[in-house]
Amino acid sequence: MRVEITDTAINKAKRDAAADGARRELSDAGKEGAPGLRLRIGPSGTASWLLGCRDREGRLRRFPLGSWPAMGLSKARDAARKMHVDVKHDGADPIADKRRDLAMGKAARAGIGTLAAVLDLYGAKRGDAQKAWGEARKRIDLIFKDLLARPAETLTRPALQMLADGYASQSSASYAVRSLRPALKWAAQRGYVTEDATRIVPPAPVKRRKRVLARGELAALVPVLRSGAAAYDVVSRFSALAAGTDVAGLHWRQIDLAAGTLTRRTRTDGAVTVHKLKMSPAAITLLRGLPPGLPGDLVFPHATAHPAAMLLMLLTLTRRQEAATARWRDVDLDAKTWTIPDTKNGEPHTVPLSRQALDLIRSRLPIDDAGNAKQPDPDGLVFATSTGAAPGNWDRETKALQEASGTKDWTRHDLRRTGATLLGEMGELPDIIEAALNHVSIHSALAATYNQSRYRPQVAAALQRLADALDGIEAGAGQVVPLRAAAG
């Protein structure tokens, strides 16, 4: 019935509905009324506001507005007028929107259509082909963890930007943003996210680093890297001699040298099982050669793969990911080369190994239970952890090395820059240094058309000079001098 909706009309309709058990519906009329506004009243006295109008295609539709008395008459009329414009002129469909939101919420709870699912899909289609995607995904997950379970379609630029801007480390947040944007743009092209979400910006500007470690810093750092590499070698040897035992977290209280046993505890379904391993004579001899510790001390406190990998980066001018993922199948000990199949410039890179780099890699050869070197698994990592995985927690381990060496404020990539700078200071030609760094262009654009050499013999000689210079710095030798006399 079309009436001017007032408190009196509502109360009368409630009484009538309660009396005969039939639902009543009041249609707003009068000068103040909103066209299409209705109040539906049930026999129990509950009431809700509706808007009845035709959509842009001429179909008669009804849309819920809210419940009475929580929504009063004035607010209901305002809501009805606004929705009428949205539906009639803007093509809005609140019911379809609500169904879609419910469907997205259900899908999100099942892990479908979320930001995390989109990133998984991007990784499978594009990201996994990029060497840095694995590390980038970890950083994205860390910075944007509060939004990973959200439906991707509902993500907004302010929500993403606020998380990035509010993160403590602005450099980490900026790296995460730069890594996330290509994924969002890929997703926006497919309608998974809005175009606006792709417009997030890094909270801190990108600054080109120029950090080069000084001679005194190298004199302090290189011995720490060598010492760490040697400790890492001992850990690997002991793990092999002790039947592949995971030595991370191994304490002296678990070792009985007199009995020649190693005790481990495992927990399954709340039950603790004690395992006593009989160690080989070679393993016992190795442990006796270590500095003794208290029962609560770690047997191998600082032995990780990181110092050895960083030392190789410095000796070969390679990148962190290249060293961390080096596999035995790519190392030719006879030819004294290490081939990196996937590089930043998209071309395989064969690295000539200096004597020092070759010795470092040979120290990583696996051993048998008698302590002799054996053939490595071709798919195995050269710098694997005790569990066979690639090393992680690079920032933590870098800080530990900085503290141990008394140095600070350098990154893994700064080692590469430092090595290249040393070669330049020794008078090495720029083309040779660029080739050693495996940069795409090592000549001018015109020269590259004719000269496509990568100067491998010269690079091999340069890297050997670099390794010898580092030995000299470590031993406290004189200043590095140019290799070529000045013209005069």
Side-chain angles (χ1 to χ4, degrees):
M1 132 179 38
R2 285 185 59 81
V3 297
E4 181 177 354
I5 300 178
T6 61
D7 289 341
T8 300
I10 293 172
N11 289 329
K12 180 179 183 304
K14 287 178 61 179
R15 291 193 298 271
D16 292 344
D20 60 16
R23 187 178 65 188
R24 294 293 192 277
E25 188 173 284
L26 304 179
S27 181
D28 202 16
K31 183 171 61 176
E32 301 296 328
L37 178 62
R38 291 172 171 78
L39 180 64
R40 181 176 291 172
I41 303 171
S44 64
T46 59
S48 58
W49 297 104
L50 303 169
L51 171 66
C53 69
R54 295 188 180 277
D55 61 19
R56 197 156 58 174
E57 298 177 2
R59 296 174 298 178
L60 185 60
R61 306 286 300 279
R62 290 196 172 194
F63 304 103
L65 296 172
S67 60
W68 177 91
M71 176 183 280
L73 175 59
S74 177
K75 288 186 178 179
R77 283 173 170 164
D78 290 342
R81 293 186 181 104
K82 181 180 183 306
M83 186 174 289
H84 190 277
V85 173
D86 292 342
V87 171
K88 187 74 174 177
H89 300 288
D90 298 337
D93 191 338
I95 293 178
D97 291 346
K98 185 175 182 180
R99 288 174 180 166
R100 185 189 60 195
D101 291 344
L102 290 173
M104 283 195 300
K106 183 178 179 180
R109 288 190 294 274
I112 302 170
T114 62
L115 174 59
V118 168
L119 292 173
D120 289 342
L121 187 58
Y122 174 77
K125 299 291 186 181
R126 296 284 185 85
D128 290 347
Q130 304 167 15
K131 296 180 296 299
W133 174 247
E135 183 65 28
R137 176 64 191 272
K138 291 178 184 177
R139 199 72 60 89
I140 291 170
D141 287 352
L142 176 65
I143 308 301
F144 299 100
K145 61 182 178 181
D146 292 345
L147 296 176
L148 291 175
R150 286 272 300 274
E153 192 176 348
T154 67
L155 292 174
T156 63
R157 177 162 53 103
L160 291 164
Q161 193 69 57
M162 188 171 292
L163 285 179
D165 291 345
Y167 195 73
S169 172
Q170 293 291 274
S171 60
S172 291
S174 296
Y175 175 73
V177 169
R178 292 194 300 272
S179 303
L180 179 61
R181 281 193 304 193
L184 291 178
K185 290 178 181 178
W186 176 87
Q189 291 172 349
R190 289 155 177 79
Y192 301 151
V193 301
T194 64
E195 288 285 349
D196 190 54
T198 68
R199 298 187 178 95
I200 55 172
V201 296
V206 179
K207 295 181 179 179
R208 186 175 294 276
R209 286 183 65 85
K210 298 181 179 179
R211 177 80 161 93
V212 172
L213 277 72
R215 179 184 176 84
E217 292 176 305
L218 286 173
L221 175 62
V222 173
V224 172
L225 294 181
R226 291 197 196 281
S227 175
Y232 173 47
D233 182 45
V234 172
V235 167
S236 301
R237 294 177 67 83
F238 179 78
S239 180
L241 293 171
T245 299
D246 181 3
V247 298
L250 183 66
H251 292 79
W252 279 109
R253 61 172 171 263
Q254 299 171 250
I255 303 294
D256 187 336
L257 288 175
T261 58
L262 183 156
T263 302
R264 293 189 299 114
R265 288 175 170 81
T266 59
R267 184 185 296 271
T268 306
D269 298 330
V272 176
T273 304
V274 178
H275 307 270
K276 188 164 286 189
L277 173 71
K278 187 71 175 177
M279 294 185 292
S280 68
I284 297 171
T285 300
L286 187 151
L287 288 176
R288 290 188 187 280
L290 297 178
L294 297 174
D297 292 343
L298 289 169
V299 179
F300 304 103
H302 303 298
T304 69
H306 303 79
M310 288 192 208
L311 184 56
L312 185 71
M313 293 177 217
L314 186 56
L315 290 169
T316 59
L317 306 186
T318 48
R319 299 175 175 86
R320 186 202 75 183
Q321 191 67 7
E322 293 168 346
T325 58
R327 298 188 182 276
W328 285 109
R329 64 170 176 256
D330 300 320
V331 176
D332 189 331
L333 295 176
D334 294 329
K336 303 178 183 180
T337 59
W338 162 36
T339 299
I340 306 172
D342 298 314
T343 64
K344 189 174 181 180
N345 67 18
E347 295 291 334
H349 176 44
T350 298
V351 182
L353 297 173
S354 62
R355 292 190 313 274
Q356 295 85 338
L358 197 62
D359 288 343
L360 175 62
I361 291 178
R362 279 182 175 145
S363 73
R364 299 299 314 127
L365 283 168
I367 60 172
D368 56 27
D369 54 8
N372 300 314
K374 65 178 182 179
Q375 192 69 22
D377 175 6
D379 292 329
L381 295 168
V382 176
F383 298 105
T385 65
S386 58
T387 62
N393 295 313
W394 284 92
D395 288 342
R396 182 191 67 192
E397 297 300 330
T398 301
K399 289 175 183 176
L401 290 169
Q402 290 173 346
E403 183 176 350
S405 62
T407 58
K408 62 182 180 179
D409 299 332
W410 55 266
T411 68
R412 279 76 59 186
H413 203 75
D414 294 338
L415 299 178
R416 177 172 153 91
R417 185 183 301 107
T418 297
T421 302
L422 271 176
L423 284 178
E425 290 174 348
M426 288 190 291
E428 193 56 74
L429 294 174
D431 288 357
I432 307 304
I433 299 174
E434 292 296 302
L437 291 167
N438 194 36
H439 285 163
V440 177
S441 177
I442 63 175
H443 314 287
S444 68
L446 180 60
T449 303
Y450 298 95
N451 182 6
Q452 298 186 24
S453 170
R454 301 299 293 187
Y455 303 122
R456 283 180 183 155
Q458 294 91 334
V459 168
L463 291 180
Q464 185 58 61
R465 293 183 192 112
L466 172 63
D468 293 341
L470 290 170
D471 284 349
I473 290 173
E474 183 181 6
Q479 294 289 326
V480 175
V481 296
L483 296 173
R484 298 172 177 80

